[in-house]
Amino acid sequence: WSREGAGMLAQDLRGLMDVRRVDDAAALLISPDQAQRFREGLRQRTLTAQLALMMHQSQIWRSELQAVAAAVDTRFDMKSPDSREALKLARQLYDTPIQATLPTVDNSINAITALRDAVTAQEQSQQVDPGDDGPDPDAVQPEDASPQGQAQGGVSPAGSGTL
C-alpha cells in the first residue's frame, strides 16, 4: 500500500507542475503586469490595423500586421493550436491587398453623355409626333396678352385708363 500511495502522490505532483522548454530567456522575466501590457499592445496594434483597413492605408495595414505576427511568433508558444492559428491568420491578412480602385472622371463623363443623348432622343421624338399641330384653338387667351388689347390704347382689364 505504501508503493501505491507514493505512486498516487507522484502522479498528483506531476499534475501540479508543467515543465516546458523556453528558448527566449526574456520571456521568463516577464511579470504578469508586463504580460497584460504586452497583450494590450497587441490589441492596440490590431485596432490600428482595423482603422488602416477602413481608411485604405495599405502601408500602415501591412506594418501593423507584420508587428503582430512577429510578436505572436516570438512571445507565444507555437505548440499551442491557438497560437499557430493566430499567426496563420495574421500572415494571411498581411498578404491581403486592401487598395481600392477609385472611380475616374471618365465614369462621370460617360454618364453625362448618356443623359444628354437620352434627352436629345426624347426631344426629337416629341418634335416628330404628328398629333401636335400647334396651339390649341379652343384655349382661352387673356385679353391683355392679345395683340388687339395692345392696339386699343393699352387699356388695362380694370379700366383705369391708358398707359
Side-chain angles (χ1 to χ4, degrees):
W1 68 267
S2 64
R3 283 188 191 179
E4 288 178 19
M8 288 177 26
L9 182 63
Q11 187 178 8
D12 288 342
L13 289 177
R14 281 189 206 120
L16 291 176
M17 297 189 321
D18 187 20
V19 178
R20 294 185 188 178
R21 181 175 173 214
V22 178
D23 295 332
D24 187 12
L28 295 174
L29 301 176
I30 293 178
S31 69
D33 187 41
Q34 289 173 330
Q36 179 66 25
R37 279 188 264 145
F38 180 73
R39 284 191 288 277
E40 287 295 323
L42 283 178
R43 281 190 200 105
Q44 275 302 53
R45 288 198 177 272
T46 55
L47 287 175
T48 305
Q50 287 175 351
L51 288 174
L53 174 65
M54 289 188 285
M55 295 170 47
H56 301 288
Q57 295 179 347
S58 61
Q59 291 175 344
I60 296 172
W61 164 261
R62 293 176 64 88
S63 68
E64 292 299 319
L65 287 174
Q66 186 177 18
V68 167
V72 168
D73 191 29
T74 58
R75 297 292 181 190
F76 287 90
D77 182 20
M78 284 296 110
K79 292 179 184 176
S80 168
D82 292 335
S83 298
R84 287 192 308 255
E85 184 66 27
L87 183 61
K88 178 183 170 187
L89 183 62
R91 288 182 177 160
Q92 284 176 348
L93 290 174
Y94 176 81
D95 294 335
T96 303
I98 64 165
Q99 297 163 339
T101 56
L102 299 175
T104 62
V105 176
D106 296 334
N107 296 341
S108 299
I109 292 172
N110 292 339
I112 291 171
T113 304
L115 182 63
R116 282 185 188 163
D117 292 344
V119 168
T120 304
Q122 185 180 11
E123 288 175 353
Q124 289 176 354
S125 69
Q126 288 177 354
Q127 289 177 357
V128 176
D129 190 13
D132 190 18
D133 292 335
D136 189 9
D138 295 334
V140 178
Q141 294 182 0
E143 289 183 26
D144 61 340
S146 69
Q148 293 172 349
Q150 292 176 356
Q152 295 177 355
V155 177
S156 69
S160 62
T162 61
L163 292 174

